[in-house]
Amino acid sequence: SQTIHQWPATLVQPVGSPLSLECTVEGTSNPNLYWYRQAAGRGLQLLFYSVGIGQISSEVPQNLSASRPQDRQFILSSKKLLLSDSGFYLCAFSSPPFSYGYTFGSGTRLTVV
Amino acid sequence: ELKVEQNPLFLSMQEGKNYTIYCNYSTTSDRLYWYRQDPGKSLESLFVLLSNGAVKQEGRLMASLDTKARLSTLHITAAVHDLSATYFCAVDRMTGNQFYFGTGTSLTVIP
């Protein structure tokens, strides 16, 4: 079966510190991978998506970057966190033939202090 | 750009009542998805609607898709407290690689 793992579940980081969130997928090959952010009580904002190793599309200019070093690994990073980076970060994937929607990870709640 | 609008944004309803959440989208798409999000949790897939006229039902929830009207509905029958959550619809633009999510409908079922 196809599964997605995202960690850590919660994170409290000071302003100006680096960030690394990781997401891995099992049970499928060549997935599309996505990072979303959700501010408190708000909708979903697509940050990055990837259709293959090393292929990253950025939807919103910001303080974050993403990388896909392996087919089923997706990493969200920042060199220096801002207060506005706080939120709930969700990784998701869709599998070929990409008709059945996304499967979301369990999420990371990031608080920048 | 594809736009997805949900209404209402907030819904408070009594147990036992029926209600419908609407999802309108702005461009042609034959695939629509409904998700549920409990507070502080991730999104869980509810329904996948892949063609015009598709209807899916699970328990007290029923979703339908009218691609000509660019409209999907999520109907709640005889609501119970356990249905309290935020519901998102999402549309898949067939030529792209991403979904477009609605703003979400926060549902509270009052005993």
Coordinates of all heavy atoms in Angstrom, one line a residue, chain B residues 34-109:
Chain B
W34 N -13.2 15.7 -2.6 CA -13.6 16.3 -1.3 C -12.7 15.7 -0.2 O -12.4 14.5 -0.2 CB -15.1 16.0 -1.0 CG -16.0 16.8 -1.8 CD1 -16.7 16.5 -2.9 CD2 -16.5 18.1 -1.4 NE1 -17.5 17.5 -3.3 CE2 -17.4 18.5 -2.4 CE3 -16.2 19.0 -0.4 CZ2 -18.1 19.8 -2.4 CZ3 -16.9 20.2 -0.3 CH2 -17.8 20.6 -1.3
Y35 N -12.3 16.6 0.7 CA -11.5 16.2 1.8 C -12.1 16.7 3.1 O -12.8 17.7 3.1 CB -10.0 16.8 1.7 CG -9.2 16.3 0.5 CD1 -9.4 16.8 -0.8 CD2 -8.4 15.2 0.7 CE1 -8.6 16.3 -1.8 CE2 -7.6 14.7 -0.3 CZ -7.7 15.2 -1.6 OH -7.0 14.7 -2.6
R36 N -11.7 16.0 4.1 CA -12.1 16.4 5.5 C -10.9 16.7 6.3 O -9.9 16.0 6.2 CB -13.0 15.3 6.2 CG -13.2 15.5 7.6 CD -14.0 14.4 8.3 NE -14.0 14.6 9.7 CZ -15.0 14.3 10.5 NH1 -16.1 13.7 10.0 NH2 -14.9 14.4 11.8
Q37 N -10.9 17.8 7.1 CA -9.8 18.1 8.0 C -10.4 18.3 9.4 O -11.2 19.2 9.6 CB -9.1 19.3 7.6 CG -7.8 19.6 8.4 CD -7.0 20.8 8.0 OE1 -7.6 21.7 7.5 NE2 -5.7 20.7 8.2
D38 N -10.0 17.5 10.4 CA -10.3 17.7 11.8 C -9.3 18.7 12.4 O -8.2 18.8 11.9 CB -10.3 16.4 12.5 CG -11.4 15.4 12.1 OD1 -12.6 15.9 12.2 OD2 -11.1 14.3 11.8
P39 N -9.7 19.4 13.4 CA -8.9 20.5 14.0 C -7.5 19.9 14.3 O -7.4 18.9 15.0 CB -9.6 20.9 15.2 CG -11.1 20.6 14.9 CD -11.1 19.4 14.1
G40 N -6.5 20.6 13.9 CA -5.1 20.2 14.2 C -4.6 19.0 13.4 O -3.5 18.6 13.7
K41 N -5.4 18.5 12.5 CA -5.0 17.3 11.8 C -4.8 17.5 10.4 O -5.1 18.6 9.8 CB -6.1 16.2 12.0 CG -6.4 15.9 13.5 CD -5.3 15.2 14.2 CE -5.7 14.8 15.6 NZ -4.5 14.1 16.3
S42 N -4.4 16.5 9.7 CA -4.2 16.5 8.3 C -5.5 16.3 7.5 O -6.5 16.2 8.1 CB -3.2 15.4 7.9 OG -2.8 15.6 6.5
L43 N -5.4 16.3 6.2 CA -6.6 16.1 5.3 C -6.8 14.7 5.0 O -5.8 14.0 4.7 CB -6.4 16.9 4.0 CG -6.8 18.4 4.1 CD1 -5.8 19.2 4.8 CD2 -7.1 19.0 2.7
E44 N -8.0 14.3 5.0 CA -8.4 12.9 4.7 C -9.3 12.9 3.5 O -10.3 13.7 3.4 CB -9.2 12.3 5.9 CG -9.8 11.0 5.7 CD -10.8 10.6 6.8 OE1 -10.9 11.4 7.8 OE2 -11.4 9.6 6.7
S45 N -9.0 12.0 2.6 CA -9.8 12.0 1.3 C -11.2 11.4 1.7 O -11.3 10.4 2.3 CB -9.1 11.1 0.3 OG -9.9 11.0 -0.9
L46 N -12.2 12.1 1.1 CA -13.6 11.6 1.3 C -14.1 11.0 0.0 O -14.6 9.9 0.0 CB -14.5 12.8 1.7 CG -14.4 13.3 3.2 CD1 -15.3 14.5 3.4 CD2 -14.7 12.2 4.2
F47 N -14.1 11.8 -1.0 CA -14.7 11.4 -2.3 C -13.8 11.8 -3.5 O -13.2 12.9 -3.5 CB -16.1 12.0 -2.5 CG -17.1 11.6 -1.4 CD1 -17.5 12.6 -0.5 CD2 -17.6 10.4 -1.4 CE1 -18.5 12.2 0.5 CE2 -18.5 10.0 -0.4 CZ -19.0 11.0 0.5
V48 N -13.8 11.0 -4.5 CA -13.2 11.3 -5.8 C -14.3 11.2 -6.8 O -14.9 10.1 -7.0 CB -12.1 10.2 -6.1 CG1 -11.4 10.5 -7.4 CG2 -11.0 10.3 -5.0
L49 N -14.5 12.3 -7.5 CA -15.6 12.3 -8.5 C -14.9 12.5 -9.9 O -14.3 13.6 -10.1 CB -16.6 13.5 -8.2 CG -17.2 13.4 -6.8 CD1 -17.9 14.7 -6.5 CD2 -18.2 12.2 -6.8
L50 N -15.0 11.6 -10.8 CA -14.2 11.6 -12.0 C -15.0 11.8 -13.3 O -14.4 11.8 -14.3 CB -13.4 10.3 -12.1 CG -12.4 10.0 -11.0 CD1 -11.8 8.6 -11.2 CD2 -11.4 11.1 -10.9
S51 N -16.3 12.1 -13.2 CA -17.0 12.3 -14.4 C -18.3 13.0 -14.1 O -18.8 13.1 -13.0 CB -17.3 11.0 -15.1 OG -18.1 10.2 -14.2
N52 N -18.8 13.6 -15.2 CA -20.1 14.4 -15.0 C -21.2 13.4 -14.6 O -21.3 12.3 -15.1 CB -20.5 15.0 -16.4 CG -21.7 15.9 -16.2 OD1 -21.8 16.6 -15.3 ND2 -22.6 15.8 -17.2
G53 N -21.9 13.9 -13.6 CA -23.0 13.1 -13.0 C -22.6 12.1 -12.0 O -23.5 11.4 -11.4
A54 N -21.3 12.1 -11.6 CA -20.9 11.1 -10.6 C -21.5 11.5 -9.3 O -21.6 12.6 -8.9 CB -19.3 11.2 -10.5
V55 N -21.9 10.4 -8.6 CA -22.4 10.6 -7.2 C -21.8 9.5 -6.3 O -21.7 8.4 -6.7 CB -24.0 10.4 -7.2 CG1 -24.5 10.5 -5.8 CG2 -24.7 11.4 -8.1
K56 N -21.3 10.0 -5.2 CA -20.7 9.0 -4.3 C -21.4 9.3 -2.9 O -21.6 10.4 -2.5 CB -19.2 9.2 -4.2 CG -18.4 9.0 -5.4 CD -18.2 7.5 -5.6 CE -17.3 7.2 -6.8 NZ -15.9 7.6 -6.6
Q57 N -21.5 8.2 -2.1 CA -22.1 8.3 -0.8 C -21.3 7.5 0.2 O -20.9 6.4 -0.1 CB -23.6 7.9 -0.8 CG -24.3 8.1 0.5 CD -25.8 8.0 0.5 OE1 -26.3 7.7 -0.6 NE2 -26.5 8.3 1.6
E58 N -21.2 8.1 1.4 CA -20.5 7.4 2.5 C -21.2 7.8 3.7 O -21.0 9.0 4.2 CB -19.0 7.7 2.5 CG -18.2 7.0 3.6 CD -18.0 5.6 3.4 OE1 -17.9 5.2 2.2 OE2 -18.0 4.8 4.3
G59 N -22.0 6.9 4.3 CA -22.7 7.3 5.5 C -23.6 8.4 5.3 O -24.5 8.4 4.5
R60 N -23.5 9.5 6.1 CA -24.4 10.6 6.0 C -24.0 11.7 5.0 O -24.6 12.7 4.9 CB -24.5 11.3 7.4 CG -25.0 10.3 8.5 CD -25.0 10.9 9.9 NE -25.3 10.0 10.9 CZ -26.6 9.7 11.2 NH1 -27.6 10.4 10.7 NH2 -26.8 8.8 12.2
L61 N -22.9 11.4 4.3 CA -22.4 12.3 3.3 C -22.6 11.8 1.9 O -22.4 10.6 1.6 CB -20.9 12.6 3.5 CG -20.5 13.2 4.8 CD1 -19.0 13.3 4.9 CD2 -21.1 14.5 5.1
M62 N -23.0 12.7 1.0 CA -23.2 12.4 -0.4 C -22.6 13.5 -1.2 O -23.0 14.7 -1.0 CB -24.6 12.1 -0.8 CG -24.8 11.7 -2.2 SD -26.5 11.2 -2.6 CE -27.3 12.8 -2.5
A63 N -21.8 13.2 -2.2 CA -21.2 14.2 -3.1 C -21.6 13.9 -4.5 O -21.7 12.8 -4.9 CB -19.6 14.1 -3.0
S64 N -21.8 15.0 -5.2 CA -22.1 14.9 -6.7 C -21.4 15.9 -7.5 O -20.8 16.9 -6.9 CB -23.6 15.1 -6.8 OG -24.0 16.5 -6.5
L65 N -21.3 15.7 -8.8 CA -20.5 16.5 -9.7 C -21.3 16.8 -10.9 O -21.8 15.9 -11.6 CB -19.2 15.9 -10.0 CG -18.3 16.6 -11.0 CD1 -17.9 18.0 -10.5 CD2 -17.1 15.8 -11.4
D66 N -21.5 18.1 -11.2 CA -22.1 18.5 -12.5 C -21.0 19.4 -13.2 O -20.8 20.5 -12.9 CB -23.3 19.4 -12.2 CG -24.0 19.9 -13.5 OD1 -23.4 19.8 -14.5 OD2 -25.2 20.3 -13.4
T67 N -20.3 18.7 -14.2 CA -19.2 19.4 -14.8 C -19.7 20.5 -15.8 O -19.0 21.5 -16.0 CB -18.4 18.4 -15.6 OG1 -19.2 17.8 -16.6 CG2 -17.7 17.4 -14.7
K68 N -20.9 20.4 -16.3 CA -21.4 21.5 -17.2 C -21.7 22.7 -16.4 O -21.5 23.8 -16.9 CB -22.7 21.0 -17.9 CG -22.4 19.8 -18.8 CD -23.7 19.3 -19.5 CE -23.4 18.1 -20.4 NZ -24.6 17.6 -21.0
A69 N -22.2 22.6 -15.2 CA -22.4 23.7 -14.3 C -21.2 24.1 -13.5 O -21.2 25.1 -12.8 CB -23.6 23.4 -13.3
R70 N -20.2 23.3 -13.6 CA -18.9 23.5 -12.8 C -19.2 23.6 -11.3 O -18.8 24.5 -10.6 CB -18.2 24.7 -13.3 CG -17.7 24.6 -14.8 CD -17.1 25.8 -15.3 NE -16.8 25.7 -16.7 CZ -16.3 26.7 -17.5 NH1 -16.1 27.9 -16.9 NH2 -16.1 26.5 -18.7
L71 N -20.0 22.6 -10.9 CA -20.5 22.6 -9.5 C -20.5 21.2 -8.9 O -20.8 20.3 -9.6 CB -21.9 23.1 -9.5 CG -22.7 23.0 -8.2 CD1 -22.2 24.0 -7.2 CD2 -24.2 23.3 -8.5
S72 N -20.0 21.2 -7.7 CA -20.1 20.0 -6.9 C -20.8 20.3 -5.6 O -20.7 21.4 -5.1 CB -18.7 19.4 -6.6 OG -18.8 18.2 -5.8
T73 N -21.5 19.4 -5.1 CA -22.2 19.5 -3.8 C -21.8 18.4 -2.9 O -21.6 17.3 -3.3 CB -23.7 19.6 -4.0 OG1 -24.2 18.3 -4.6 CG2 -24.2 20.7 -4.9
L74 N -21.8 18.8 -1.6 CA -21.6 17.8 -0.5 C -22.8 17.9 0.4 O -23.0 18.9 1.1 CB -20.3 18.1 0.2 CG -20.0 17.1 1.4 CD1 -19.7 15.7 0.8 CD2 -18.8 17.6 2.2
H75 N -23.6 16.9 0.3 CA -24.9 16.9 1.1 C -24.8 16.2 2.4 O -24.3 15.0 2.4 CB -26.0 16.4 0.2 CG -27.4 16.5 0.9 ND1 -28.0 17.7 1.0 CD2 -28.2 15.6 1.5 CE1 -29.2 17.6 1.6 NE2 -29.3 16.3 1.9
I76 N -25.2 16.8 3.4 CA -25.1 16.2 4.8 C -26.6 15.8 5.2 O -27.5 16.7 5.2 CB -24.5 17.1 5.8 CG1 -23.2 17.6 5.3 CG2 -24.5 16.5 7.2 CD1 -22.7 18.9 5.9
T77 N -26.8 14.6 5.5 CA -28.1 14.1 5.9 C -28.1 13.7 7.4 O -27.2 13.0 7.9 CB -28.5 12.9 5.1 OG1 -28.5 13.2 3.7 CG2 -29.9 12.4 5.5
A78 N -29.1 14.3 8.1 CA -29.2 14.0 9.5 C -27.9 14.1 10.3 O -27.4 13.2 10.8 CB -29.8 12.6 9.7
A79 N -27.4 15.3 10.3 CA -26.0 15.6 10.8 C -25.9 15.1 12.3 O -26.8 15.2 13.1 CB -25.8 17.1 10.8
V80 N -24.7 14.6 12.6 CA -24.3 14.2 13.9 C -23.0 15.0 14.3 O -22.3 15.5 13.4 CB -24.1 12.7 14.0 CG1 -25.4 11.9 13.8 CG2 -23.0 12.2 13.0
H81 N -22.7 15.0 15.6 CA -21.6 15.8 16.1 C -20.3 15.4 15.4 O -19.4 16.2 15.2 CB -21.6 15.8 17.6 CG -20.4 16.6 18.2 ND1 -20.4 17.9 18.1 CD2 -19.3 16.2 18.8 CE1 -19.3 18.4 18.7 NE2 -18.6 17.3 19.1
D82 N -20.2 14.1 15.2 CA -18.9 13.6 14.6 C -18.6 14.2 13.2 O -17.4 14.0 12.8 CB -18.9 12.1 14.5 CG -18.8 11.4 15.9 OD1 -18.5 12.1 16.9 OD2 -19.0 10.2 16.0
L83 N -19.5 14.8 12.6 CA -19.3 15.4 11.3 C -18.6 16.7 11.4 O -18.3 17.3 10.4 CB -20.6 15.4 10.5 CG -21.1 14.1 10.0 CD1 -22.4 14.3 9.2 CD2 -20.1 13.4 9.1
S84 N -18.5 17.3 12.6 CA -17.9 18.6 12.8 C -16.5 18.5 12.3 O -15.7 17.7 12.8 CB -18.0 19.0 14.2 OG -19.3 19.2 14.7
A85 N -16.1 19.4 11.3 CA -14.8 19.4 10.7 C -14.8 20.5 9.7 O -15.8 21.2 9.4 CB -14.5 18.1 10.1
T86 N -13.6 20.7 9.0 CA -13.6 21.6 7.8 C -13.5 20.7 6.6 O -12.8 19.7 6.5 CB -12.3 22.5 7.9 OG1 -12.4 23.3 9.1 CG2 -12.3 23.4 6.7
Y87 N -14.3 21.0 5.6 CA -14.4 20.3 4.4 C -13.9 21.1 3.2 O -14.3 22.3 3.1 CB -15.9 19.9 4.1 CG -16.4 18.9 5.1 CD1 -16.9 19.4 6.4 CD2 -16.3 17.5 4.9 CE1 -17.4 18.5 7.3 CE2 -16.8 16.6 5.9 CZ -17.3 17.1 7.1 OH -17.7 16.2 8.0
F88 N -13.0 20.5 2.5 CA -12.4 21.2 1.3 C -12.8 20.4 0.0 O -12.8 19.2 0.0 CB -10.9 21.2 1.4 CG -10.3 22.1 2.5 CD1 -10.0 21.6 3.7 CD2 -10.0 23.4 2.2 CE1 -9.5 22.4 4.7 CE2 -9.5 24.2 3.2 CZ -9.2 23.7 4.4
C89 N -13.1 21.2 -1.0 CA -13.1 20.6 -2.3 C -11.9 21.0 -3.1 O -11.2 22.0 -2.7 CB -14.4 21.0 -3.1 SG -14.5 22.8 -3.5
A90 N -11.5 20.2 -4.1 CA -10.3 20.5 -4.9 C -10.6 20.1 -6.3 O -11.3 19.1 -6.5 CB -9.1 19.8 -4.3
V91 N -10.1 20.8 -7.2 CA -10.3 20.6 -8.6 C -9.0 20.3 -9.3 O -8.0 21.0 -9.0 CB -11.0 21.8 -9.3 CG1 -11.1 21.6 -10.8 CG2 -12.4 22.0 -8.7
D92 N -9.0 19.4 -10.2 CA -7.7 19.0 -10.9 C -7.8 19.5 -12.3 O -8.7 19.0 -13.1 CB -7.6 17.4 -10.8 CG -6.4 16.9 -11.6 OD1 -5.6 17.7 -12.0 OD2 -6.3 15.7 -11.6
R93 N -7.0 20.4 -12.7 CA -6.9 20.8 -14.1 C -6.2 19.8 -14.9 O -5.0 19.5 -14.6 CB -6.2 22.2 -14.2 CG -6.4 22.8 -15.5 CD -6.0 24.3 -15.5 NE -4.6 24.5 -15.2 CZ -4.1 25.7 -15.1 NH1 -4.8 26.7 -15.1 NH2 -2.8 25.8 -14.8
M94 N -6.8 19.2 -15.8 CA -6.3 18.0 -16.4 C -5.0 18.2 -17.1 O -4.3 17.2 -17.3 CB -7.4 17.4 -17.3 CG -8.7 17.0 -16.6 SD -9.9 16.4 -17.6 CE -9.2 14.8 -18.1
T95 N -4.7 19.4 -17.5 CA -3.4 19.6 -18.2 C -2.3 20.0 -17.3 O -1.2 20.2 -17.7 CB -3.6 20.7 -19.2 OG1 -4.0 21.9 -18.6 CG2 -4.6 20.4 -20.3
G96 N -2.6 20.0 -16.0 CA -1.6 20.5 -15.0 C -1.2 19.4 -14.1 O -1.6 18.3 -14.2
N97 N -0.4 19.8 -13.1 CA 0.1 18.8 -12.1 C -0.3 19.2 -10.7 O 0.3 18.7 -9.8 CB 1.7 18.8 -12.2 CG 2.1 18.2 -13.5 OD1 1.8 17.1 -13.9 ND2 2.9 19.0 -14.2
Q98 N -1.3 20.0 -10.6 CA -1.6 20.4 -9.2 C -3.1 20.6 -9.1 O -3.9 20.7 -10.1 CB -1.0 21.7 -8.9 CG -1.4 22.9 -9.8 CD -0.8 24.2 -9.3 OE1 -1.3 24.8 -8.3 NE2 0.2 24.7 -10.0
F99 N -3.6 20.5 -7.8 CA -5.0 20.7 -7.5 C -5.1 22.2 -7.1 O -4.2 22.8 -6.7 CB -5.4 19.9 -6.3 CG -5.5 18.4 -6.6 CD1 -5.1 17.9 -7.8 CD2 -6.0 17.6 -5.6 CE1 -5.3 16.5 -8.0 CE2 -6.2 16.2 -5.8 CZ -5.8 15.7 -7.0
Y100 N -6.4 22.6 -7.2 CA -6.8 23.9 -6.7 C -7.8 23.7 -5.7 O -8.9 23.2 -6.0 CB -7.3 24.8 -7.9 CG -6.2 25.1 -8.9 CD1 -5.9 24.2 -9.9 CD2 -5.5 26.3 -8.9 CE1 -4.9 24.4 -10.8 CE2 -4.5 26.6 -9.8 CZ -4.2 25.6 -10.8 OH -3.3 25.9 -11.7
F101 N -7.5 24.1 -4.5 CA -8.4 23.9 -3.3 C -9.3 25.0 -3.1 O -9.0 26.2 -3.3 CB -7.6 23.7 -2.1 CG -7.0 22.3 -1.9 CD1 -5.8 22.0 -2.5 CD2 -7.7 21.3 -1.3 CE1 -5.2 20.8 -2.4 CE2 -7.1 20.0 -1.2 CZ -5.9 19.8 -1.8
G102 N -10.5 24.7 -2.7 CA -11.5 25.7 -2.2 C -11.0 26.3 -0.9 O -10.0 25.8 -0.3
T103 N -11.7 27.3 -0.4 CA -11.3 27.9 0.8 C -11.7 27.1 2.1 O -11.3 27.4 3.2 CB -12.0 29.3 0.9 OG1 -13.4 29.1 0.7 CG2 -11.4 30.3 -0.1
G104 N -12.5 26.1 1.9 CA -12.9 25.3 3.0 C -14.2 25.7 3.6 O -14.5 26.9 3.6
T105 N -15.0 24.8 4.2 CA -16.2 25.1 4.9 C -16.1 24.5 6.3 O -15.9 23.3 6.4 CB -17.4 24.5 4.2 OG1 -17.6 25.1 2.9 CG2 -18.7 24.7 5.0
S106 N -16.1 25.4 7.3 CA -16.0 24.9 8.7 C -17.4 24.6 9.2 O -18.2 25.4 9.3 CB -15.4 26.0 9.5 OG -15.3 25.6 10.9
L107 N -17.6 23.3 9.4 CA -18.9 22.8 9.9 C -18.9 22.5 11.3 O -18.0 21.7 11.8 CB -19.3 21.5 9.1 CG -20.5 20.7 9.6 CD1 -21.8 21.6 9.4 CD2 -20.6 19.4 8.8
T108 N -19.9 23.0 12.0 CA -20.0 22.7 13.5 C -21.5 22.2 13.6 O -22.4 22.8 13.3 CB -19.9 23.9 14.4 OG1 -18.6 24.5 14.1 CG2 -20.0 23.6 15.8
V109 N -21.5 20.9 14.2 CA -22.8 20.3 14.4 C -23.1 20.4 15.9 O -22.4 20.0 16.7 CB -22.9 18.9 14.0 CG1 -24.2 18.3 14.2 CG2 -22.5 18.7 12.5

